[in-house]
Amino acid sequence: VLSQCGEDLAHLVVHVNKMSEDSKREDFVKYLVERIRFQLRGVKFDPDTKEILTKYKEHNNIFKMLLTLNIHLLNQQNSKFESDSDVYKFPFDVLNAQDWDIEHIDSFHTNALKGEDDKKEWIATAIADLPELSEEIKTEVNGYLQNKQYDSAISKLKAAANEVDPDDERKNSIGNLTLLASSTNRKYGNSLFCTKRKIIIERMKQGVFVPTGTQYIFYKFFDPSGTNRSQWTDKDMEEYHKYVYDNIIEYLKSNTDG
């Protein structure tokens, strides 16, 4: 985490050399957590409501926090094994090679679909991924297509998928943000959540590394009832937001920490 956040690792070496001979591993871990808190000092949160207040536009702070979260989750998994195998180490080389960035889980907009071909492809994919569409909706969408009213067709399909455009604050909050490789994101763009989910899972089957936190999202880890695999709902956002807060809070520096 620290190296990716711009920490000078030479300072860590100096710190180790200055530690007393009776220092324990836990002492160094405590120091590392303090340094992570320093790197994440720009992340704002409310301990009373247990919310992360930092939004998408504060790109650097969100990226550092999500990276820390994913490393933390992998370390949690690793701690359950009595093994030092590199299989369970965080793949920083993959992080750099795949150009990971912050992405919206549900994009809620179509302004990235500039050309007619892109819009027609989006519509065809959405219809294929929404098998429960009524004949009435299909007829209406076909009418829009015949009249080249592609934006209207997209809006109709989003409504049929129960994807409702929330306000900017909601869709740019941590409950709707995750880390993803740019190459993976280009493959789903502004698709419906059900389409994104299918593509992400397929890429994982192909051996493409996907961060642990992102895997949890598209496996619908935050829908305990397991009844809604096709949507990223308000409830999912709330549960995911709470999960991020609970797992990242130990690395966040309160204004009262001194």
Side-chain angles (χ1 to χ4, degrees):
V1 176
L2 292 173
S3 62
Q4 296 295 324
C5 291
E7 183 91 2
D8 186 348
L9 299 187
H11 293 163
L12 302 184
V13 175
V14 171
H15 179 82
V16 171
N17 291 335
K18 289 184 177 180
M19 292 178 69
S20 62
E21 292 184 0
D22 60 348
S23 295
K24 300 179 180 178
R25 179 177 182 275
E26 290 76 15
D27 297 321
F28 184 57
V29 170
K30 181 179 179 181
Y31 172 73
L32 292 178
V33 171
E34 290 174 354
R35 296 308 302 165
I36 293 172
R37 284 177 181 159
F38 177 78
Q39 291 293 341
L40 299 183
R41 65 193 182 281
V43 177
K44 302 177 183 64
F45 65 98
D46 186 334
D48 295 325
T49 61
K50 295 187 175 181
E51 290 181 282
I52 305 295
L53 304 177
T54 302
K55 306 297 182 184
Y56 175 75
K57 65 180 181 180
E58 297 182 54
H59 184 281
N60 192 44
N61 288 323
I62 290 290
F63 182 83
K64 288 180 179 179
M65 183 182 67
L66 288 176
L67 177 59
T68 301
L69 171 70
N70 279 279
I71 296 172
H72 171 77
L73 294 177
L74 198 60
N75 286 341
Q76 274 190 327
Q77 292 178 359
N78 197 35
S79 67
K80 299 182 185 301
F81 296 90
E82 295 180 0
S83 169
D84 293 325
S85 171
D86 287 340
V87 171
Y88 300 104
K89 304 301 183 184
F90 192 86
F92 288 103
D93 55 336
V94 177
L95 169 76
N96 295 320
Q98 292 186 348
D99 188 23
W100 285 354
D101 205 353
I102 308 164
E103 303 296 346
H104 290 86
I105 298 168
D106 242 352
S107 56
F108 298 109
H109 62 78
T110 59
N111 58 13
L113 300 171
K114 302 296 185 183
E116 287 188 1
D117 288 343
D118 288 339
K119 293 180 181 181
K120 286 190 288 186
E121 182 179 355
W122 189 101
I123 292 166
T125 302
I127 291 174
D129 290 333
L130 292 171
E132 303 301 323
L133 282 178
S134 68
E135 290 302 318
E136 180 182 354
I137 292 176
K138 290 180 181 178
T139 299
E140 189 171 351
V141 169
N142 285 330
Y144 287 136
L145 290 174
Q146 290 174 9
N147 293 310
K148 296 186 177 182
Q149 296 174 295
Y150 302 118
D151 288 340
S152 296
I154 290 171
S155 295
K156 188 68 179 181
L157 289 168
K158 279 184 171 285
N162 293 319
E163 291 194 1
V164 181
D165 193 353
D167 57 40
D168 285 343
E169 181 176 357
R170 181 87 167 160
K171 65 186 176 186
N172 289 315
S173 71
I174 196 61
N176 193 42
L177 302 174
T178 191
L179 280 186
L180 205 60
S182 58
S183 60
T184 303
N185 185 53
R186 283 194 297 270
K187 287 188 175 292
Y188 71 64
N190 292 312
S191 300
L192 295 172
F193 177 80
C194 56
T195 301
K196 297 177 183 179
R197 180 175 183 271
K198 182 177 69 175
I199 294 172
I200 294 296
I201 291 176
E202 183 59 34
R203 285 178 67 75
M204 283 192 284
K205 289 179 180 178
Q206 295 169 0
V208 176
F209 180 80
V210 175
T212 303
T214 304
Q215 290 184 36
Y216 288 172
I217 288 165
F218 288 99
Y219 277 135
K220 290 305 297 283
F221 181 88
F222 306 101
D223 177 18
S225 65
T227 58
N228 193 341
R229 300 292 182 184
S230 63
Q231 301 169 27
W232 186 248
T233 65
D234 282 347
K235 184 64 175 176
D236 288 316
M237 290 188 202
E238 291 173 4
E239 292 298 320
Y240 171 55
H241 191 144
K242 181 178 183 298
Y243 184 82
V244 173
Y245 181 92
D246 289 344
N247 279 277
I248 205 72
I249 187 61
E250 66 178 290
Y251 303 104
L252 298 183
K253 183 176 179 62
S254 170
N255 291 331
T256 61
D257 286 346

